[in-house]
Amino acid sequence: QVQLVESGGGSVQAGGSLKLSCAAFEYTASAYCMAWFRQAPGKEREGVAVIYSSRSTKYADSVKGRFTISRDNRKNSLYLEMNSLKPEDTAMYYCAASLRNWNCPLRGENFIYWGQGTQVTVSS
């Protein structure tokens, strides 16, 4: 049974940094697309960043230049390094995994496995 376990969320002041981790079990992270999504209270879920099996990456415009998605194949883990955090980055962040290895638009329907989420709170 595939499991995605996120960690690394927390509270930080604006301008600060956090690094989220997602450990994958019964799933080969290197073979497929993986992504980070987020959802703030009262808002729709938003795709943040995706990494293809080729290690190509794509980002939402709102986080370009501030966030970096990466993968460690040996640890079978996904990461999201977040810098220059803003209050509007406050949300529950979810790790997501696909069974596609290319053409993985940042839409929820393209990902079939989801973690439980980790909260990120940025204060002004």
Side-chain angles (χ1 to χ4, degrees):
Q1 182 177 349
V2 174
Q3 271 193 304
L4 303 175
V5 181
E6 300 107 332
S7 60
S11 296
V12 66
Q13 288 192 324
S17 299
L18 283 173
K19 185 173 182 177
L20 307 183
S21 300
C22 171
F25 301 92
E26 301 300 323
Y27 178 86
T28 304
S30 61
Y32 306 105
C33 298
M34 292 190 76
W36 290 96
F37 287 77
R38 67 185 181 186
Q39 188 166 21
K43 293 190 176 181
E44 291 189 354
R45 182 176 57 194
E46 174 190 20
V48 175
V50 60
I51 185 166
Y52 288 22
S53 58
S54 64
R55 292 190 186 275
S56 294
T57 58
K58 292 187 178 180
Y59 297 89
D61 288 343
S62 57
V63 306
K64 276 181 185 174
R66 301 187 298 121
F67 290 12
T68 302
I69 188 171
S70 63
R71 188 181 67 223
D72 185 328
N73 293 342
R74 288 178 299 175
K75 294 183 178 180
N76 210 35
S77 293
L78 179 73
Y79 303 97
L80 184 69
E81 186 161 1
M82 306 183 292
N83 297 313
S84 301
L85 282 161
K86 304 175 181 179
E88 51 264 43
D89 295 317
T90 295
M92 186 71 80
Y93 283 71
Y94 298 92
C95 171
S98 175
L99 291 181
R100 296 177 157 189
N101 56 17
W102 70 285
N103 190 25
C104 301
L106 268 172
R107 295 194 300 269
E109 61 263 31
N110 294 319
F111 297 85
I112 63 170
Y113 302 113
W114 295 82
Q116 81 287 354
T118 186
Q119 178 69 36
V120 171
T121 302
V122 185
S123 58
S124 57

